[in-house]
């Protein structure tokens, strides 16, 4: 059994990305993984309080619980809605805050969500710019859930689809990468002291 954290970046309380997150948790549990849906909707925008600046530090107490859960996870599903052709600010803020001790050298599956035919831009954005400092490892596969309302209606009604099959497969691969990357973290070669900010 692998502990897999799910992070959804919708800014809307009833956002489809959150609904996709619940569906993914259900799929992971069916495959005997432990799914931990971490709510980041109250996460403040990064500021120096996170690095200990006293006047700003109090609000970051809320990160401690999230940090512990990230450290306990061996893989991540990061779900981002496409907002104006970008990953949501909530997701990029999360990736700015999460550090190597929490997510470094652990595999991540990106899931893009679009109400219409979009969803690709946030994936390109996150693959290119998001892991230099935190050392999270995106796996080669990603999933774009287009026409998300129809998708959710279908899967919640017990109907399969090509997208649902892709999601199942990508989650299976994520589980395998979670096991494989344990060796990297335990190799003794990881050196965050000399190279804290990536390359
Ligand atoms: C501010 C904003 C910008 C959006 N821009 C896009 C977009 O560029 N491309 C797209 O396919 N959908 C866009 N959408 C619609 C989302 O795809 C839709 O809301 C979908 O359900 C995922 O977002 P959600 O998780 O917040 O529901 C946008 C929605 C919002 C609220």
């Amino acid at each position: 059994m692998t502990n897999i954290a799910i992070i959804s970046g919708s800014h809307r309380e009833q956002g489809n990305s959150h609904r996709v997150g619940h569906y993914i948790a259900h799929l992971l549990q069916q495959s005997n993984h432990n799914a931990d849906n971490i709510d980041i909707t109250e996460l403040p925008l990064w500021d120096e309080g996170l690095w200990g600046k006293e006047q700003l530090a109090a609000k970051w107490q809320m990160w401690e619980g999230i940090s512990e859960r990230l450290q306990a996870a061996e893989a991540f599903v990061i779900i981002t809605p496409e907002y104006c052709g970008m990953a949501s600010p909530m997701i990029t803020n999360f990736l700015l805050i999460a550090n190597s001790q929490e997510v470094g050298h652990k595999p991540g599956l990106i899931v893009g969500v679009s109400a219409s035919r979009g969803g690709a831009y946030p994936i390109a954005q996150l693959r290119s710019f998001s892991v230099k400092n935190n050392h999270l490892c995106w796996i080669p596969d990603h999933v774009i859930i287009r026409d998300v309302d129809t998708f959710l209606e279908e899967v919640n009604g017990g109907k399969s689809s090509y997208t649902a099959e892709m999601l199942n497969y990508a989650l299976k691969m994520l589980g395998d990468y979670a096991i494989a990357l344990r060796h990297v973290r335990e190799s003794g070669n990881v050196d965050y002291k000399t190279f804290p900010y990536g390359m």
Side-chain angles (χ1 to χ4, degrees):
M1 190 204 270
T2 310
N3 189 22
I4 301 182
I6 302 163
I7 290 109
S8 154
S10 177
H11 289 227
R12 303 189 307 130
E13 207 179 335
Q14 305 295 329
N16 281 316
S17 303
H18 300 318
R19 296 170 64 207
V20 168
H22 293 306
Y23 175 63
I24 288 176
H26 163 75
L27 291 179
L28 289 171
Q29 281 153 3
Q30 271 187 338
S31 307
N32 292 323
H33 292 298
N34 183 41
D36 184 13
N37 234 317
I38 300 181
D39 183 352
I40 59 162
T41 53
E42 301 298 322
L43 197 57
L45 271 184
W46 181 93
D47 69 23
E48 286 173 296
L50 191 66
W51 290 353
K53 189 169 183 175
E54 220 172 304
Q55 310 90 292
L56 302 170
K59 63 172 148 342
W60 290 105
Q61 274 170 13
M62 64 89 69
W63 180 252
E64 285 169 20
I66 295 178
S67 174
E68 274 170 26
R69 288 162 71 183
L70 294 174
Q71 287 179 58
E74 290 192 287
F76 304 98
V77 180
I78 304 290
I79 307 167
T80 180
E82 180 169 291
Y83 287 165
C84 297
M86 297 179 276
S88 74
M90 197 182 286
I91 282 295
T92 52
N93 185 48
F94 167 77
L95 290 165
L96 183 63
I97 293 165
N99 66 30
S100 296
Q101 278 69 36
E102 292 151 350
V103 304
H105 298 291
K106 297 179 186 178
L109 168 66
I110 309 174
V111 177
V113 175
S114 167
S116 55
R117 306 303 294 160
Y121 288 126
I123 290 178
Q125 180 188 350
L126 294 184
R127 282 198 180 285
S128 304
F129 315 106
S130 64
V131 294
K132 180 181 80 69
N133 287 26
N134 62 36
H135 298 92
L136 176 60
C137 299
W138 299 127
I139 66 168
D141 294 311
H142 55 246
V143 180
I144 303 176
I145 301 183
R146 297 193 164 105
D147 294 319
V148 60
D149 290 296
T150 308
F151 171 82
L152 285 167
E153 213 174 284
E154 283 176 357
V155 293
N156 290 330
K159 257 171 90 179
S160 192
S161 64
Y162 186 56
T163 307
E165 281 173 34
M166 285 199 294
L167 186 57
N168 260 310
Y169 172 72
L171 289 172
K172 204 184 291 177
M173 293 308 297
L174 183 70
D176 289 346
Y177 278 103
I179 293 164
L181 288 191
R182 280 178 194 163
H183 297 290
V184 174
R185 294 196 299 281
E186 290 162 7
S187 67
N189 290 326
V190 175
D191 182 358
Y192 295 137
K193 247 190 170 152
T194 315
F195 303 106
Y197 307 120
M199 297 188 180

